[in-house]
Structure formats: structure tokens, C-alpha cells
Amino acid sequence: FEASPTKETILSVINYTSDLPKWVKVVDELAVEANRICHFSQRQRNLDAASFVKLLVWGWFAQPQASLNQLAALGSHLHQLITPQAIDERLNSRAIMLLMQVLEGVLHRQLLVPSLPSKRLRQFNGIYITDSTQLSLPSALNFLFAGQGSGSQVKVQLCLEYLSGSVSGLELEAGRTPDQKCLLPVKQGQAGSLHLFDLGYFKQDHLAMLRQQGAFYVTRYQSQTAIYSDQTGEPIDVLTWLRATRTQDTEMNVT
């Protein structure tokens, strides 16, 4: 929605989320549970915990840069007579705890069960895909989430367990922290599991830990890593070996 959102635009957002009744019900339940822990709303009021969470989710889903005035306008279309000042007053440490508790609760709910394209994947008791993304934050939060230079960024590390379609791990860290330090694949490691991650997570110590756990992994080869013949112990020049290979696909055991 825009600076003065129309009712039709607001309702389109509401209708979109109304197609997900299970999700809406889960948020309501989790917000009530979280409110018992953080005491965000201790008496019946127009902007209770569940309404507050849905207002932010719906509002910022429609417009990530929505102002307090825009959120208040959305509230009026949801039959919640609230002012920008009222929203501002609720954006405090208890609101942060409330949203954090709801997020953690959502992660423990299985809301998606994909149909797998191949039964061959079922030989693994878990397929864990780990990746990260970065979000810019106000510079005042640099002391908590330092980004590159003087800016502030938060890095979200997320691990998806593909067989169940559930998020198995989520961590927040400073934006400048390299993926190589992330331990999510190791924490999720178990015998018979498969782990997928890109070159940024390549660290030999972590790969060794996964092997010790009886887990498998797929990642790109780090070009500065020395490899040796599993039979002779002699070093292998990967480029020379590939150039001598006459087939499109090949494999070799190495150390």
C-alpha cells in the first residue's frame, strides 16, 4: 500500500493471508502463548499481542518500509482504532521478546510438507540445506550487529530440513561474521543425514566433524585445499587430472 493506502489494497493483503487459515491460527495461538511469557499486553485492549503481531506481519509484508502512519491505516481497515503514537509506544523491549517468542514458536511448527521428486532421497534420514542472508539495520545497532564499515547488518543463518519441510535451525549474528564460522551444519549432523551448503561454509574441521558423526555432505571444492591419492598418498593436481579425463562424469576417492 502507498502513503494513503486504499481499502482495496489493504483487503488484497488480508485476502492473501486469509488463504492461509492454518498460518493465521498458528500466529494467534503463538502470540497468546508468547504474551504469557513476556507480558506484552496485560489487560484487554484494542492492540493486544495477537493483533500487534498480525499488524506488523501484514503491514510489512505488503510494504517493508511502511511507516507508523501506514500501519495505523491498516489497523483501521482491520477495525482496530489505533494511532501511530500507540504503535510507537508498543515498540519496546517487550515487543521484541514477543516477536522473538512467536518466531521461535513458528520454527517448531511444521507448516510445509513438500512432495519429493525422487524416492532415492529417502535413503537419508534428513536433508539439511544451510544458507544465510543479510539485512541492513539502523546504524545505532552497530554495537550489536556490526556490518561492513560503519554500517549495521544482521546475518540470518537458516537451516531447512527438506524431507519434513521444516526449519531446523536459525541463528542471528553480526553481518560481518563469515559463514565459515557457522556451526549449524555440525549441530544438525547425525548418522545418515545429508548436508548441502555453498563454498562459504567450507571448513575442513567442520567437514571432519560431520564425517565423525556419520553424516554426508555436498559442497564445492575449495581450490586452496590440497588433496592426495587415496591409494598412493601422492598429491593430485585437480586441473591436470580433469584435463586428462575423457568422460563427462567421473569420480575418485581422495584424502
Side-chain angles (χ1 to χ4, degrees):
F1 50 91
E2 302 176 4
S4 299
T6 64
K7 184 175 182 179
E8 289 73 19
T9 308
I10 299 299
L11 290 178
S12 68
V13 177
I14 299 172
N15 289 335
Y16 178 86
T17 52
S18 294
D19 292 336
L20 304 173
K22 182 178 180 181
W23 161 251
V24 176
K25 182 179 179 181
V26 166
V27 171
D28 283 340
E29 293 173 353
L30 292 176
V32 172
E33 294 174 6
N35 188 53
R36 297 193 186 102
I37 299 174
C38 62
H39 306 292
F40 172 82
S41 178
Q42 301 185 47
R43 62 179 184 274
Q44 188 66 33
R45 58 174 64 194
N46 202 29
L47 191 59
D48 58 15
S51 299
F52 179 78
V53 171
K54 287 188 290 188
L55 180 67
L56 297 190
V57 171
W58 276 334
W60 282 325
F61 176 82
Q63 173 53 268
Q65 303 298 327
S67 66
L68 296 181
N69 287 327
Q70 290 173 302
L71 292 177
L74 171 59
S76 66
H77 290 299
L78 296 175
H79 307 293
Q80 296 174 342
L81 300 179
I82 54 177
T83 64
Q85 293 76 17
I87 300 175
D88 183 55
E89 291 175 357
R90 307 312 301 275
L91 293 172
N92 50 36
S93 59
R94 289 185 176 179
I96 295 174
M97 291 178 60
L98 175 71
L99 294 171
M100 182 176 68
Q101 291 290 334
V102 171
L103 175 60
E104 290 181 355
V106 168
L107 295 182
H108 290 89
R109 301 290 183 101
Q110 185 172 312
L111 301 178
L112 171 66
V113 181
S115 58
L116 299 176
S118 172
K119 293 182 179 179
R120 189 167 291 213
L121 297 178
R122 288 292 181 181
Q123 65 181 299
F124 303 106
N125 58 27
I127 300 177
Y128 297 88
I129 305 171
T130 302
D131 206 351
S132 68
T133 188
Q134 295 190 47
L135 303 171
S136 296
L137 298 175
S139 56
L141 294 175
N142 181 269
F143 74 101
L144 280 178
F145 300 105
Q148 301 300 327
S150 59
S152 178
Q153 287 183 319
V154 59
K155 175 174 285 190
V156 182
Q157 296 282 1
L158 185 139
C159 187
L160 173 72
E161 201 291 287
Y162 183 68
L163 293 180
S164 66
S166 60
V167 175
S168 60
L170 184 146
E171 295 179 350
L172 304 180
E173 57 191 19
R176 65 172 59 172
T177 307
D179 289 339
Q180 200 176 51
K181 291 188 176 182
C182 178
L183 287 171
L184 273 182
V186 176
K187 292 178 180 178
Q188 307 296 329
Q190 55 183 306
S193 61
L194 173 65
H195 300 262
L196 311 177
F197 41 82
D198 62 29
L199 189 57
Y201 296 85
F202 189 100
K203 186 172 183 178
Q204 287 180 266
D205 290 344
H206 295 173
L207 301 183
M209 291 178 187
L210 286 172
R211 180 173 176 81
Q212 292 169 2
Q213 293 167 338
F216 303 91
Y217 57 84
V218 176
T219 185
R220 289 174 56 193
Y221 168 63
Q222 217 288 346
S223 60
Q224 296 181 343
T225 303
I227 61 175
Y228 304 86
S229 170
D230 199 39
Q231 297 178 343
T232 66
E234 294 295 319
I236 296 174
D237 184 276
V238 177
L239 184 57
T240 301
W241 172 64
L242 289 176
R243 284 174 172 169
T245 301
R246 301 303 178 188
T247 58
Q248 183 66 27
D249 301 308
T250 184
E251 65 178 55
M252 176 175 56
N253 292 329
V254 300
T255 300

